[in-house]
């Protein structure tokens, strides 16, 4: 199964200057719990945005740069190569950025989405996951708190 893991604002923004435009600790905790032990496929910019390797997970980096390499990264240059590196994993976690989500969108089976109920400025956008292609199977709403916006944890399944 190919599963997307992302936080997306109401206006489609997922990032600004190669970082998240919000800080939601519960989202980071959920991301860690849901991706632990899974191979993660990401773009080079996403990989380079991490302060260090994310423990307990493989880092498969999809890049067009044939010479790029980094400690802890398994490098692929196309979608099939990334999936081959993931092997027989029960779930392949696709974690971004926008170009990577676009490359895998037709192959994704599930989306673990944090809907951030705000419209921040940003330079990285992902289109909405809407019916009839997607159906919601889980939702947990969280109220705004201090300077943290309201958000919802949502699971979407491909509608076949």
């Amino acid at each position: 199964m190919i599963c997307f893991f992302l936080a997306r604002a109401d206006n489609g923004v997922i990032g600004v200057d190669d970082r998240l435009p919000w800080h939601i600790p519960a989202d980071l905790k959920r991301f860690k719990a849901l991706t632990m032990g899974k191979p993660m496929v990401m773009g080079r910019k996403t990989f380079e945005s991490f302060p260090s390797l994310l423990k307990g997970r493989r880092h498969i980096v999809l890049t067009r740069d044939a010479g790029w390499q980094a400690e802890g990264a398994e490098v692929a240059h196309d979608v099939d190569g990334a999936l081959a590196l993931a092997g027989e994993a029960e779930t392949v976690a696709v974690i971004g950025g926008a170009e990577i989500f676009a490359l895998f969108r037709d192959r994704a089976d599930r989306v673990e989405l944090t809907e951030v109920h705000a419209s921040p400025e940003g330079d990285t956008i992902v289109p909405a996951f809407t019916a009839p292609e997607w159906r919601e199977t889980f939702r947990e709403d969280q109220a705004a708190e201090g300077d943290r916006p309201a958000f919802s944890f949502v699971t979407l399944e491909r509608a076949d």
Side-chain angles (χ1 to χ4, degrees):
M1 173 177 59
I2 296 173
C3 184
F4 286 4
F5 293 87
L6 73 152
R8 180 184 177 277
D10 292 338
N11 62 353
V13 168
I14 66 165
V16 61
D17 298 329
D18 298 326
R19 61 178 177 75
L20 296 174
W22 48 73
H23 180 68
I24 302 175
D27 174 53
L28 301 175
K29 183 177 179 181
R30 182 174 188 252
F31 174 85
K32 180 178 181 179
L34 293 176
T35 60
M36 187 59 67
K38 295 173 178 55
M40 299 182 307
V41 176
M42 68 202 79
R44 178 191 51 81
K45 288 181 191 175
T46 298
F47 178 83
E48 291 176 348
S49 75
F50 297 149
S52 62
L53 294 175
L54 303 181
K55 293 180 182 173
R57 292 154 278 186
R58 291 174 49 211
H59 298 68
I60 299 171
V61 179
L62 184 52
T63 177
R64 291 181 291 266
D65 184 346
W68 186 86
Q69 56 184 359
E71 187 172 335
E74 300 172 57
V75 181
H77 301 293
D78 58 37
V79 169
D80 289 334
L83 292 174
L85 284 172
E88 298 298 317
E90 183 176 328
T91 301
V92 177
V94 176
I95 65 166
E99 289 182 50
I100 304 304
F101 290 129
L103 288 171
F104 280 87
R105 191 160 180 133
D106 289 343
R107 298 186 188 207
D109 303 294
R110 175 183 287 166
V111 179
E112 292 294 349
L113 176 66
T114 300
E115 291 179 344
V116 180
H117 302 303
S119 294
E121 294 289 320
D123 55 20
T124 310
I125 308 288
V126 168
F129 300 92
T130 57
E133 185 180 12
W134 298 96
R135 63 183 169 82
E136 185 175 309
T137 59
F138 173 82
R139 174 175 292 270
E140 179 184 300
D141 297 323
Q142 304 289 324
E145 188 176 295
D147 62 353
R148 189 201 73 215
F151 61 95
S152 301
F153 293 139
V154 179
T155 300
L156 302 165
E157 302 277 347
R158 184 173 297 280
D160 289 329

